[in-house]
Each structure stands twice: as C-alpha cells, then as structure tokens.
Amino acid sequence: MKIVDGDKAECDRCESVLPIGDVSLLEKETNRDYERVLCEDCLGAVGIPQGYTLRRDISHLAG
C-alpha cells in the first residue's frame, strides 16, 4: 500500500492518488500480508473475490 502525503493513497490497480477516505482495502483471508488498495471504480471492476475481505474505512492509516 502506498500512502502519499500522509492522507492520500494510491490505487494498486489504476495508480490514481485519492484521499484515503475514498479507497478500500482488499485483503486475502488466508494471508493478511496480501492487501490491495482499490478506488471505487476499480473495486466495481474487480469485485470481492471468494476468499477475500474488504475494509472500506482505512482512515486510521492516515498519518
């Protein structure tokens, strides 16, 4: 996950930089080290595959 300027994150799929409140974190249930930040558009394209969970509020990661 790439945090930019402390309060923005880069989408791992399209590489857009958005406020951290506008992205979600897709995590693999069997491997918590695997996580991908996705913007709403990319989340709509990818969805939530089986075996993954989605965290919509990752504002606690803002620095």
Side-chain angles (χ1 to χ4, degrees):
M1 172 181 353
K2 297 177 188 166
I3 303 291
V4 181
D5 295 330
D7 63 346
K8 295 178 184 157
E10 182 178 321
C11 176
D12 286 321
R13 187 168 187 260
C14 70
E15 299 181 353
S16 297
V17 176
L18 302 157
I20 204 161
D22 293 345
V23 296
S24 299
L25 187 65
L26 190 64
E27 297 176 314
K28 195 169 192 174
E29 291 174 355
T30 58
N31 181 358
R32 290 294 180 186
D33 292 331
Y34 180 91
E35 55 187 25
R36 297 293 178 255
V37 173
L38 296 174
C39 66
E40 286 298 317
D41 289 340
C42 290
L43 178 60
V46 172
I48 305 171
Q50 186 175 5
Y52 289 79
T53 57
L54 184 71
R55 290 196 320 181
R56 292 194 179 271
D57 182 12
I58 59 170
S59 58
H60 65 280
L61 299 175

